[in-house]
Structure formats: C-alpha cells, structure tokens
Amino acid sequence: MSLLVSIKKYYKGFTLDANFEMDEEYLGILGASGSGKSMTLKCIAGIETPDEGLIVLNGRVLFDSANKINLSPQERNIGYLFQNYALFPHMTAEQNIGAGLKLTKKEKKIKTDEIIRSFHLEGLENKYPSQLSGGQQQRVALARIFAYEPDVLLLDEPFSALDSHLKDKIQAEVLDMLNLYKGKVLMVTHSMDEVYRFCENLVVIDKGRTVLSEKTKELFIKPRHAAAARLTGCKNISRCDVLSKHSVYAVDWDFIFETENIVPENINYIGIREHSFQMTDTADKKNTVVCKVNKVVEEVFDYIIMFENMNNKTPNENSEILFKVSKDEWNKRKNNKSLYLNVPDDSILMLK
C-alpha cells in the first residue's frame, strides 16, 4: 500500500508545491501555520482540486491533471478527521458513527455497537456532540471514520482543539485507537512533540514547498534545513559564511566556529539547540563563547539564559542566543561573574 503526492496549486502570492511518497504506516507533515499543510490534505481528500499534478493511492489514480482524472471525495475512500471534528450536531454519538454506513438497520446496529465498544464510548451513545467533551468528540469522530474502513486516514491538527493539560492523556488514547486501524495514517501538525510521538517518517513543508522527507528521529538529530531546524525546536539560528572546510562564520553572532567535520559548501545557516551548550571555566577551548548575559528567565525546572557574544562587533536583532540549563547546574557553577559557553562539534547544525 502506498500514497504518491506530486501536486501544485496556485494562489495569489502563494504556491503549494507538495511532493512526497508514503510507504510506511504513519507519516507526519510538519510545517508552520499557513505553510500549506491542511491544503495538502484537502487536495488528497478531493475537497480541493490541485491546478496540476498527480495523486495515486494504492495504485489507484485519484487525481491526474494530464489525463483529466479527478475522483470525487466519495469515490476516494479516504477518512478525514477535521480540526473541529465536523460531527453532525443534530445526531447522537451512535448516529454520527453510523452515518456513512450503507448497511441494513440490523447490520448497522451490529457494526456501530462493535465500534462503540472498541472506542470505549459505552454510555455516550445517546449524547449529542454539545454534551460531549473535546476528547469524547474526537473519539466519536475517529470512530465514525473507522466504521467505513478507509484506505488512508488523514488527521488535520488532531489535538489543536484540546486543552493542553488533556493532550498527553488523549494522545495516548488515540495511539491505542490507531492500533485498531489497518490502513495508513497521514497527520498534519505544527507540533514537534506530536509528530515525534506518532510518526516514524516526516515531511517538512515550508512556505508551500516540500523541503525535506526523512525518518523522524534522524531529522530531529540532524535537520539539515533551517526551516526543519526551527520546526523541530532549534531556537538559535544564524546566517553563516563558509570560511574553509573546517571553519564557518556565524554572521549574526560574529563568531567563527571550527569543526573537525567537513563543513558542507552549500550551507547558509548554522544552528545550535538551546540545551547543547556546555558551561566551562575559561574561554581557552575552541568554540567557546564569552557571554554577555542579557536576561535570565526562570521556568519550573530550568533557566533560560539570554546572552550575546561579548565580542560581537556587529550586533543586530538576531544576535541574542538562548541557553537552557537546569536550575541545579546553573546554581552550582563556580564562576558567578563570567559565563563561558562551549559548543561541541557535533552540536553545530549545518543548515541550508
């Protein structure tokens, strides 16, 4: 089973150019708000029509602009979980689940009862959407999709409507429910935690264009692209100039990094994750920044240290760097007057 997407859709001032192939069970699409993630799902589902390109699911052509093929949403057999769940407000949970089933009354009852048990919705069958919590509405919406056994399940920001304190619990429940599903799952999100938890493979969309497609864990370790680094939580990104095979100049930080690894010629940004710095007693070691501390922000278990390179001769709005450190480590440091932060070689992200 596979999904091939190679499409373009043009808007005034924006072009969606999505290209990826899905062979594994779970694929995530990660991108900032307005990057074209949801539009990509809508084109796959047939809700929106691309201007050109090809969509093929399990060898069946859903859309082909060259051959004028464009199957209706009903013909595609795709399950789409909308951000607002799109439940019918005038129907009970049981009626919503059975709404798309073309079965006899007896067969539909058997099927819906089975789905209700699988999704632990007993006791909620006769409640209307307005009487259900956000998590319960989501379970009913998923149950309705599962009932008609689609070939692929599209999840559009599935946890964006939930309270933050409920998300971990409900995400765990959804993972269990997805184990009941035999098809493919394509999830769109702007949350790095969600995509890391759910998806083995990941596509990154930036300003409408697919920029990376990789194994999720590998991409988080070495993102290779500035947009991917930002989306996977890298707070510190500077423009850079490659000086040699083993040195690179961070323009915004006015600092030269030396590395044993060969610096790729085609990079134009470098990144350092906020937890990658190591405190040291002196500036003698290579890649050690003499810090001018601007602000210390206290979190529950950590401090965020906002600093600049003390020797930066050309400061700008992107000169500030963030360092995240545990309270215990910060409070135990020996030198309280000066701060020296070292960057290990393997913590320098080389980015396009």
Side-chain angles (χ1 to χ4, degrees), residues 12-183:
K12 186 177 181 179
F14 180 83
T15 298
L16 174 66
D17 185 0
N19 288 276
F20 59 89
E21 192 163 358
M22 179 182 182
D23 289 314
E24 305 299 329
E25 290 183 355
Y26 297 126
L27 176 69
I29 298 180
L30 185 65
S33 297
S35 62
K37 308 182 304 296
S38 294
M39 181 56 64
T40 300
L41 289 196
K42 288 175 182 176
C43 287
I44 295 170
I47 300 168
E48 295 282 347
T49 302
D51 292 305
E52 59 182 83
L54 184 68
I55 302 173
V56 182
L57 176 61
N58 301 334
R60 191 165 62 102
V61 177
L62 307 184
F63 175 81
D64 184 346
S65 59
N67 292 301
K68 294 182 172 50
I69 298 172
N70 186 21
L71 300 189
S72 69
Q74 294 77 17
E75 295 173 297
R76 297 191 182 200
N77 197 33
I78 287 175
Y80 195 130
L81 181 65
F82 292 88
Q83 291 182 28
N84 62 0
Y85 312 137
L87 295 174
F88 299 114
H90 61 286
M91 291 185 180
T92 64
E94 183 177 6
Q95 289 169 338
N96 264 284
I97 292 169
L101 297 177
K102 294 179 172 59
L103 301 171
T104 65
K105 187 175 181 179
K106 182 179 179 181
E107 290 171 335
K108 183 181 287 191
K109 178 63 176 172
I110 293 171
K111 181 77 170 181
T112 54
D113 284 350
E114 178 187 341
I115 294 288
I116 285 167
R117 285 193 300 272
S118 298
F119 280 77
H120 309 296
L121 291 167
E122 298 95 328
L124 303 176
E125 300 96 321
N126 297 317
K127 291 187 178 293
Y128 292 91
S130 61
Q131 298 172 307
L132 302 173
S133 68
Q136 290 168 340
Q137 288 180 34
Q138 186 179 63
R139 273 191 283 160
V140 172
L142 274 172
R144 180 176 64 184
I145 293 170
F146 276 41
Y148 65 85
E149 300 175 357
D151 292 325
V152 64
L153 175 59
L154 309 181
L155 305 179
D156 190 356
E157 301 275 9
F159 307 105
S160 62
L162 301 176
D163 294 335
S164 57
H165 70 281
L166 291 174
K167 283 188 179 181
D168 286 342
K169 179 177 181 294
I170 292 174
Q171 283 178 5
E173 291 177 355
V174 171
L175 271 172
D176 288 340
M177 287 184 275
L178 289 178
N179 288 330
L180 304 171
Y181 178 61
K182 305 305 180 186

Side-chain angles (χ1 to χ4, degrees), residues 153-275:
L153 175 59
L154 309 181
L155 305 179
D156 190 356
E157 301 275 9
F159 307 105
S160 62
L162 301 176
D163 294 335
S164 57
H165 70 281
L166 291 174
K167 283 188 179 181
D168 286 342
K169 179 177 181 294
I170 292 174
Q171 283 178 5
E173 291 177 355
V174 171
L175 271 172
D176 288 340
M177 287 184 275
L178 289 178
N179 288 330
L180 304 171
Y181 178 61
K182 305 305 180 186
K184 294 183 181 302
V185 177
L186 180 58
M187 185 174 79
V188 150
T189 182
H190 64 269
S191 167
M192 61 179 181
D193 294 327
E194 289 173 13
V195 80
Y196 193 89
R197 186 175 293 182
F198 278 80
C199 304
E200 183 180 349
N201 294 278
L202 179 59
V203 168
V204 175
I205 290 185
D206 182 44
K207 298 175 184 175
R209 186 171 62 90
T210 303
V211 294
L212 276 179
S213 179
E214 283 190 21
K215 294 286 185 183
T216 300
K217 291 183 179 179
E218 292 175 8
L219 191 145
F220 271 74
I221 294 169
K222 293 291 182 185
R224 295 190 297 113
H225 196 286
R230 289 189 189 95
L231 289 167
T232 56
C234 184
K235 302 290 195 305
N236 305 311
I237 297 176
S238 168
R239 297 167 296 157
C240 75
D241 295 326
V242 177
L243 302 180
S244 71
K245 289 184 177 180
H246 297 282
S247 63
V248 59
Y249 172 60
V251 175
D252 296 310
W253 306 331
D254 192 18
F255 192 87
I256 296 174
F257 291 94
E258 298 176 0
T259 174
E260 293 181 9
N261 299 320
I262 294 177
V263 178
E265 293 181 0
N266 61 346
I267 67 162
N268 40 32
Y269 293 94
I270 67 166
I272 302 170
R273 297 194 185 277
E274 57 188 344
H275 61 268

Side-chain angles (χ1 to χ4, degrees), residues 316-333:
N316 60 54
E317 61 182 13
N318 197 37
S319 295
E320 194 164 72
I321 310 170
L322 303 186
F323 165 45
K324 191 168 190 174
V325 58
S326 72
K327 288 184 176 179
D328 284 345
E329 187 179 356
W330 180 252
N331 292 331
K332 286 178 183 176
R333 74 190 193 284

